[in-house]
Amino acid sequence: MKPQKYEFQTEVARLLHLVTHSLYSNREIFLRELISNASDACERLRFEALEKPELYGGQPDLRIRISLDKDKKTISIADTGIGMSAADAIENLGTIAHSGTRAFMQQLESGKTADAQMIGQFGVGFYSGFIVAEKIEVFSRRAGLAAEEGVHWTSDGSGEFEVEPATLPERGTTVTLHVRDDALEFADGWRLRELIARYSDHIALPIEMEEEKWEEGEEGKPGKMVKTGKWEAVNQATALWTRAKKDITEEQASQFYQQLAHDWQPPLTWSLHRVEGSTEYTQLLYIPSHAPLDLWERERKEGLKLYVRRVFIMDDAEQLLPRYLRFVKGVVDSADLPLNVSREILQESRDVRAIREGNTRRVLAMLEDMAKEKPAEHTEKEEKPEEKTPDYHTFWREFGAVIKEGIGEDGANRERIARLLRYTSTAGDFVSLADYKARMKEGQKAIYYICADSQEAAAGSPQLEAFRKKGIEVLLMGDRVDEWAMNWLREFDGTPLQSVARGAADLDELQDEAEKKAFDAASEQAKPLIEKLKTALGDAVSDVRATARLVDSPACLVVKDTDLSLQMARILRQAGQTLPEVKPILEINPAHALIQKMEASPEHFDDMAHILLDQALLAEGLMPRDAAAYLRRVNALLA
Ligand code: ADP
Ligand code: MG
C-alpha cells in the first residue's frame, strides 16, 4: 500500500515552523519530552491492563530504550507502552488539543522568549523532536492489536506527514529522530546519558541504553567504544516520591516538577511527606513560581496526579485539593484507595476527604514557612547568589488573588489564611493584617480597608481623605475577589475589619474636640442645603448627609452597612444577575468651597446637585447615570 499523505492542522504547521526556526536555547529538552511521552504511554498501558491484563500479550515488561546510530545519524526512543493505532497516530501527531497553544505561539512569534524549555508546558512536546531532527519516523502498534496493524508515521516537519501500515513484532512506540547536522552533538552516548540523568532520572521506569565498552586498538591503531549488546538502566527508575527526602536533590525535585507541571521554571518550594494514620498516603507537593496563563479559565484542568500503590491512576484529580489551592502541583500516592477508583468515587470517598484536608494543611504550612523564613525579595539573594530564595513576594504576586478565595471557601482554615494575606495600604506595600494591627493608632478600633476596581482606584478614592489626614492606615483592595472575601472576614485576631466606604465609619472617635466642634457647626449650617439636595436629587439617592470623612472632595457615595457596594453590584450585573437597585447615600463635605458656593447660586442649584452626584460616581470609578445629561450640565456651567 502506498503511504497516505496528510496535512498538519494549521496550528501544528505554524508551531513546527516556529520550532524549527526559533528555538535555539535549551534544545536538549526534546529528549525529556519524548521520554516523558514514552513514560506516559507505559503508565497508560499499566492502567488499562488493570481491567484487561491480556493487553500485555505475555510481555509484561514496561521500559524505555534509547539507541543511537552514528552512521545513520539517528536517535531512537522506544517504549513498550500502550502504542498507537494508525487512527491514533493521525489524530495525536497531527493536531494539538491544548487550549494554551495559541498563547504559546504568540509568545514565540513575538520573539521575546525563544526558549525551548517552554514547549512542554503547552502539551506539544512531541513536536519538540523537530528542534533537532530534519525528519521523524514513528513506528507504533497499539497494545491488543495484531502485528500487521502497526503504523509507520513520517514527517520532515514542514506542512505534511505520511502514514502507512507496518508490521511490528512488539507493541509500543519507537520514535526515530534523523538528527540535523547542526544538532549532531546530541547523537552521542555520553551526552544522552548526561541528559537523562539531568532531566529524566525520576522517571519510574527503567530507561535503558546499550552498554558500551572501550576497545583497545590493534597495535598502533586508536581504540574505540563498541556496543556490547547488553542493555543497562541509566536512571534510578524509582518513583521520586518513594525515595527518602534526604536522597533527593533540589535538581531532581525540580526536574520532576518541571515535567509534571509542564513548567520551564523551577518551583518556589516543595514538600514530600508520608502521611500515616487511618488514611495512608504520600504527598509530594509543589508551589510554582509563576501562574499559568490559564489560571482564571473555567475549563482549566487542575489538581494533583493520583497514584494508588505506585500505579498511575489519573492526572488532574481536582478532588485532592480545595479550589483555592488550584495552583499547587504534585503527586498523591494512596495506600488505601481501590485501583479502579473513578472520579465519581473520588468525590464521595472519606479517604479522599482526609487526603484533601491533609494536603490543605500541608500547603498552608508551606506558605507559612515561606512567609516567615524568607519574606522579602532582597538581601540574602545578593549575599549568597548560589542559594535559591523561596520568595513569598513572588508567590503573592502570582497567586495571592487565588488564595483570597479560601477566606470564603474554607471556613475551617480562615484564620490561617487570613495570616497569609498581604495588601498594599496607604502606609506601605506587602502589609499583613498582623503588621497593620501592630501599628494601629491609639484609640483605633478597627482595621480599615477600601475595595475598588483596582488598587489605583482604591488609592484615589475620596473616602480616604480624612484617614490620610489623620495618618490612619487603610488597606487598598483592588482585586475582584476582595470584596467578596471581606464579607467572610469580619475580624482578625479580635479586631473588626471595617470598610471605609460603608455606613458612617466611626470617624468621631478619630476626631479631637476642636475638629468635632467645627464639624458640628458646619453640619448644622448645612442642614437647609441638605434638605434642598434631597429634593433636587429625589429618588437617585437614599439619603444625603454631612460627613467628616472628606477633606479635599466636595462629596462621596457610601452604602448602608447591609447593602452591596456599588462596584460589587456592577460586577454582578455584568455577570448577568438581576439585582434590586442599590441606592447610595450622598455624603457632602460641608466645609468644601463648592458646597458653600451652591448656596450662593440658587439659579444653578439643580444642575450643580446632579453634577455633584455624578462626580461622586466618577470618583468611585463608575459612570454618571446619564453621561449626555452630565456633559450638558457641566458645559452649561462652564459657559
Ligand atoms: P502531551 O504529551 O502533552 O499529550 P505531546 O505532543 O507530547 O503532548 O504528545 C501528543 C500525543 O501523542 C500524546 O498525548 C499521545 O496521545 C501521543 N503520543 C506521543 N508519544 C507517544 C508514545 N510514545 N506512545 C503513545 N502515544 C504517544
Ligand atoms: Mg508529552
Side-chain angles (χ1 to χ4, degrees), residues 55 207 256 259 371 387 435 469 513 527 627:
L55 284 178
I207 302 172
F256 182 75
Q259 202 129 334
E387 197 176 65
D435 294 339
K469 191 172 158 208
E513 280 310 310
K527 266 193 180 144

Side-chain angles (χ1 to χ4, degrees), residues 32-34 36-38 40 120 123-126 262:
R32 159 185 101 183
E33 293 298 329
L34 296 177
S36 153
N37 285 350
D40 289 350
V124 291
F126 171 76
H262 297 305

Side-chain angles (χ1 to χ4, degrees), residues 4 25 31 52 129 141 157 233 388 420 430 552 582 593 599 614:
Q4 198 73 39
S25 54
L31 187 64
K52 288 197 258 170
R141 190 183 122 197
K388 194 178 131 278
L420 294 170
F430 212 63
D552 301 319
V582 186
E599 309 221 56
D614 283 336

Side-chain angles (χ1 to χ4, degrees), residues 33-34 36-38 40-41 44 79 82-84 92-93 98 120 122-127 140 172-173 175 262:
E33 293 298 329
L34 296 177
S36 153
N37 285 350
D40 289 350
R44 238 177 294 160
D79 65 68
I82 189 78
M84 285 178 275
N92 299 337
L93 309 181
H98 273 256
F122 296 91
V124 291
F126 171 76
Y127 304 105
S140 192
T173 303
V175 176
H262 297 305

Side-chain angles (χ1 to χ4, degrees), residues 42 215 233 263 283 307 357 359 368 387 423 462 540:
C42 291
E215 204 175 73
D263 191 350
Q283 46 179 202
Y307 286 74
E357 284 165 15
N359 286 343
E368 285 159 0
E387 197 176 65
Y423 297 99

Side-chain angles (χ1 to χ4, degrees), residues 55 63 69 81 118 121 277 311 321 404 406 408 430 497 638:
L55 284 178
R63 52 155 174 72
D69 186 324
M118 297 169 66
Q121 186 192 16
V311 178
L321 279 172
K404 287 173 183 172
F430 212 63
L497 284 125
L638 289 175

Side-chain angles (χ1 to χ4, degrees), residues 395-460:
F395 167 77
W396 189 258
R397 184 188 66 221
E398 297 293 318
F399 302 111
V402 187
I403 282 282
K404 287 173 183 172
E405 296 171 10
I407 293 286
E409 272 172 31
D410 189 355
N413 288 302
R414 187 167 298 143
E415 284 254 328
R416 281 182 85 174
I417 300 169
R419 288 184 190 281
L420 294 170
L421 300 175
R422 297 292 181 273
Y423 297 99
T424 295
S425 81
T426 50
D429 284 329
F430 212 63
V431 178
S432 72
L433 295 175
D435 294 339
Y436 183 109
K437 215 186 138 168
R439 58 188 184 220
M440 267 168 42
K441 286 253 145 132
E442 181 90 21
Q444 186 180 342
K445 298 217 173 70
I447 296 174
Y448 292 106
Y449 66 90
I450 181 162
C451 293
D453 280 357
S454 67
Q455 208 170 283
E456 292 72 38

